[in-house]
């Protein structure tokens, strides 16, 4: 028998498919899923770290709808406080007093972090693809609905403003950006919209929540939620769902890595999603631990590694750059840097003997060869790790340098930058 499912984005008809709704999130990525109860019996109370899960009736389904979030109050912070969260005055979850445990889970288990303070920008209109294609470094014209990518916003001289994670949707492109650049990016993008352009820029940060699930066991959680067909999909791939009529988008990748998953949702759905992920063993991570992880993994950040002082190639953001698409902002500089091997410095990780202040000089044999941009405690509080730019000819992996006043540092590769794919060198001489 055919059943008609009705949601805010429309209705469709299909045959019902049996499924079990596990712990209050999505049961299936098929076109239909009948109403079902949650949580699954047998989930230990010790794993319900956020005050338990509401045993209510949910209708869950996936469909190719366009995410258009309703302005609903954000109440997930209350659930996080029950789990022990310390919240800043501006509502950012700073820590659960478990930073070392959360970092270990990000490597060896599964962790979940609320990045709702990051910016979300929605670009709509008939010309949205060509507009972003021209305003950033990725090739948007080769992407289809349900795909995604990283892209860099740069100045005309290829200095990096930010890295954005983009999802290509049926009627919109959604960008996730740093909290410190969201406002300025929106202002800049609006300046480049000409009278004839059919483009609109919307800030949907306060209308949405954004979680990241990461760790070697994050795929197991997805399989437990009957979302296993997302596992192994290309970075940036995403699908849309409805949880009790509330829109949710789940994508492959965790901003900091191509592994893990990202969840964009209505604030009204956030508490249920958060509680569900904790019930499957995810360790909650605060923004303090996330910043430590960012540095350890080597993902550049605005106002630290991404400034007017360094260009996008020195930051190593090769996977965000298309080298064969048409004209875009910063392209001339990028092409010249590649053609003439003009990259003078590179971003490296540094195992440090002690804490050091960002902006500290990096020296080798008494000569300045670079600058420290970020520093944090390492996997354990007793360890220290940093990021910094070092002149290409001055040092390489394994080199020992001095940071600031006598702090020694060993130059190491970091995962985020090691997974970038630069083109083979071009052997050309200057004319």
């Amino acid at each position: 028998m055919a059943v008609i499912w009705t949601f805010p984005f429309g209705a469709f008809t299909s045959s019902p498919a049996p499924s079990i709704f596990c712990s209050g999130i999505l049961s299936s990525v098929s076109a239909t899923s009948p109403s079902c109860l949650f949580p699954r019996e047998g989930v230990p109370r010790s794993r319900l770290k956020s005050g338990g899960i509401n045993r209510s009736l949910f209708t869950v389904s996936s469909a190719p709808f366009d995410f258009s979030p309703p302005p609903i109050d954000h109440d997930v912070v209350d659930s996080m406080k029950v789990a022990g969260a310390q919240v800043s005055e501006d509502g950012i979850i700073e820590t659960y007093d478990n930073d070392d445990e959360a970092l270990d889970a990000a490597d060896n288990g599964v962790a979940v972090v609320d990045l709702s303070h990051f910016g979300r920008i929605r670009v709509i209109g008939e010309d949205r693809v060509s507009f972003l294609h021209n305003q950033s470094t990725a090739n948007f014209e080769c992407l289809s609905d349900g795909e995604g990518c990283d892209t860099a916003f740069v100045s005309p001289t290829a200095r990096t403003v930010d890295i954005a994670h983009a999802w290509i949707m049926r009627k919109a492109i959604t960008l996730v950006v740093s909290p410190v650049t969201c406002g300025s990016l929106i202002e800049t993008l609006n300046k480049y919209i000409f009278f004839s352009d059919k483009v609109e820029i919307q800030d949907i940060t306060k209308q949405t929540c954004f979680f990241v699930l990461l760790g070697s066991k994050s795929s197991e959680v997805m399989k437990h939620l009957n979302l296993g067909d997302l596992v192994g999909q290309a970075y940036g791939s995403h699908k849309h769902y409805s949880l009790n009529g509330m829109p949710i988008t789940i994508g492959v990748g965790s901003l900091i890595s191509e592994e893990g998953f990202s969840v964009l949702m209505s604030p009204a759905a956030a508490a249920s999603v958060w509680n569900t992920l904790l019930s499957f063993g995810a360790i909650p991570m605060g923004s303090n631990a996330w910043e430590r992880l960012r540095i350890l993994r080597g993902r550049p950040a605005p106002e630290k590694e991404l400034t007017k002082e360094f260009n996008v190639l020195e930051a190593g953001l090769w996977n965000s750059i298309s080298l064969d698409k048409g004209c875009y902002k910063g392209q001339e500089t990028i092409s010249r840097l590649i053609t003439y091997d003009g990259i003078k410095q590179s971003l490296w990780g540094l195992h440090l003997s002690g804490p050091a202040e960002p902006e500290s000089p990096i020296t080798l044999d008494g000569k300045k060869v670079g600058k420290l941009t970020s520093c944090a405690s390492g996997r354990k509080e007793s360890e220290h790790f940093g990021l910094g730019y070092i002149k290409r000819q001055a040092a390489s992996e394994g080199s020992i340098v001095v940071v600031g006043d006598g702090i020694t540092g060993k130059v190491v590769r970091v995962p985020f930058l090691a997974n970038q794919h630069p083109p083979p060198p071009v052997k050309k001489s200057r004319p």
Side-chain angles (χ1 to χ4, degrees), residues 115-134:
L115 296 182
S116 297
H117 59 291
F118 274 51
R120 266 90 64 203
I121 300 172
R122 189 170 185 259
V123 184
I124 60 174
E126 294 179 15
D127 297 328
R128 64 191 180 278
V129 173
S130 60
F131 177 77
L132 285 176
H133 187 84
N134 295 333

Side-chain angles (χ1 to χ4, degrees), residues 341-357:
D341 193 23
I343 304 172
K344 303 301 182 184
Q345 51 201 341
S346 300
L347 187 60
W348 288 94
L350 293 160
H351 279 299
L352 301 172
S353 62
E357 289 295 324

Side-chain angles (χ1 to χ4, degrees), residues 251-287:
V252 178
S254 58
L255 299 189
I256 214 164
S257 167
E258 294 187 2
E259 299 177 346
F261 302 88
S262 302
V263 186
L264 179 68
M265 73 218 88
S266 160
S272 293
V273 173
W274 182 263
N275 291 344
T276 296
L277 295 174
L278 293 190
S279 77
F280 277 96
I283 302 300
M285 174 183 286
S287 60

Side-chain angles (χ1 to χ4, degrees), residues 202-270:
Q202 299 174 340
D203 185 350
I204 62 169
T205 304
K206 293 183 179 180
Q207 294 174 288
T208 55
C209 290
F210 186 76
F211 298 162
V212 161
L213 188 72
L214 65 162
S216 60
K217 297 183 180 179
S218 58
S219 293
E220 295 180 17
V221 173
M222 299 300 286
K223 292 175 182 178
H224 282 309
L225 299 172
N226 291 333
L227 293 170
D229 67 343
L230 283 173
V231 175
Q233 295 299 308
Y235 178 65
S237 299
H238 58 278
K239 294 186 178 182
H240 306 293
Y241 305 89
S242 175
L243 174 59
N244 201 27
M246 296 175 289
I248 296 177
T249 301
I250 301 178
V252 178
S254 58
L255 299 189
I256 214 164
S257 167
E258 294 187 2
E259 299 177 346
F261 302 88
S262 302
V263 186
L264 179 68
M265 73 218 88
S266 160

Side-chain angles (χ1 to χ4, degrees), residues 22 45 50 66 91 100-101 145 156 188 247 274 301 349-350 363 377 392:
C22 299
R45 287 190 176 273
S50 192
D66 177 49
D100 287 349
E101 179 188 14
D145 296 352
T188 299
W274 182 263
L350 293 160
T363 59
S377 53
R392 286 178 65 189

